[in-house]
Amino acid sequence: MLNGWLMFKEKVTGLLQEALEQRKDLFLIDFSVGADNRIKVVLDGDKGVNLKDCMDVSRAIEHNLDREEEDFSLEVTSAGATAPLVLPRQYQKNVGRKLEVKTLTDTIEGNLTASSEESITLEWKAREPKPVGKGKHTVQKKQEIAISDIKEAKVVLKF
C-alpha cells in the first residue's frame, strides 16, 4: 500500500511540475498528498492567481490520473491575501504594499520598497521625541531585513 502511495505521489508531483512549466508566472507555495490520496496544491503568481489559473493546474493533474486506478480528491487554491509570505518571489510581487514583518526581536509595519533573493527593505514614518526641546516630530525610517531573519510576513490589507 505504501509503495502504491509513493508511486501515486511521484506521478502527481511530475504532473504538477509539468503544469507549472507551462505557466512560468505561477509558483508553488505548498503541496501535499495525504495517505488517503488527498491532493492539496497552494499556488501564487507574479500577477496573482485567479480561478482560471487554479482550474488549469487542476485539469493538468486530474486529466492525467485514472479514477478507475486511484481514488483521489484534488484541491488547487491560491495562497490568499492573508496568507504569510514564504518565498522571496512573493516579496517581489508585493513591492509598494504595506507589510507587517515579525523577526525574532521586532514587529515592523512599513511599506515594502525593495526586495531581493536575500533581503527586503521596509520604510515607514514614526513619531519620535525631538533631539532638542519638548514634543515629537515625524521621522522617516528605513530598514533592510534579511529574509532569513523573518519569522512571518503578511500584507496589511486596508479597508
Side-chain angles (χ1 to χ4, degrees):
M1 181 69 190
L2 184 62
N3 233 7
W5 176 79
L6 283 173
M7 287 174 45
F8 179 72
K9 184 175 181 179
E10 281 180 24
K11 183 172 186 177
V12 172
T13 302
L15 293 170
L16 178 57
Q17 287 171 339
E18 284 177 32
L20 293 175
E21 279 295 311
Q22 301 297 312
R23 291 292 308 275
K24 297 284 190 195
D25 60 317
L26 299 177
F27 49 96
L28 189 62
I29 298 297
D30 195 21
F31 167 64
S32 62
V33 179
D36 56 352
N37 288 352
R38 190 184 183 103
I39 306 162
K40 180 164 182 168
V41 178
V42 181
L43 302 171
D44 203 345
D46 296 325
K47 297 177 185 91
V49 178
N50 61 35
L51 182 61
K52 184 183 181 319
D53 298 330
C54 292
M55 287 171 47
D56 290 346
V57 172
S58 177
R59 285 186 183 123
I61 295 170
E62 189 171 8
H63 288 209
N64 291 292
L65 295 175
D66 186 354
R67 285 204 183 268
E68 300 297 319
E69 266 179 44
E70 296 284 350
D71 186 29
F72 65 91
S73 68
L74 173 62
E75 179 184 2
V76 179
T77 65
S78 66
T82 59
L85 306 180
V86 293
L87 299 175
R89 194 168 171 181
Q90 288 179 289
Y91 290 100
Q92 187 59 48
K93 78 173 211 157
N94 283 294
V95 167
R97 297 181 85 181
K98 185 180 265 190
L99 298 186
E100 180 182 87
V101 177
K102 293 179 184 173
T103 65
L104 289 172
T105 56
D106 288 330
T107 298
I108 303 165
E109 195 171 291
N111 292 319
L112 179 63
T113 57
S115 169
S116 71
E117 288 292 312
E118 294 82 35
S119 67
I120 64 169
T121 303
L122 291 181
E123 293 186 23
W124 68 98
K125 289 184 167 114
R127 298 282 293 158
E128 291 186 349
K130 290 181 179 178
V132 177
K134 294 182 179 178
K136 293 186 175 192
H137 68 294
T138 302
V139 293
Q140 183 70 28
K141 297 281 204 166
K142 183 176 186 174
Q143 184 172 343
E144 188 172 324
I145 303 167
I147 288 180
S148 59
D149 290 344
I150 297 173
K151 278 183 28 184
E152 182 180 82
K154 289 185 175 181
V155 173
V156 177
L157 299 176
K158 292 181 243 166
F159 295 98

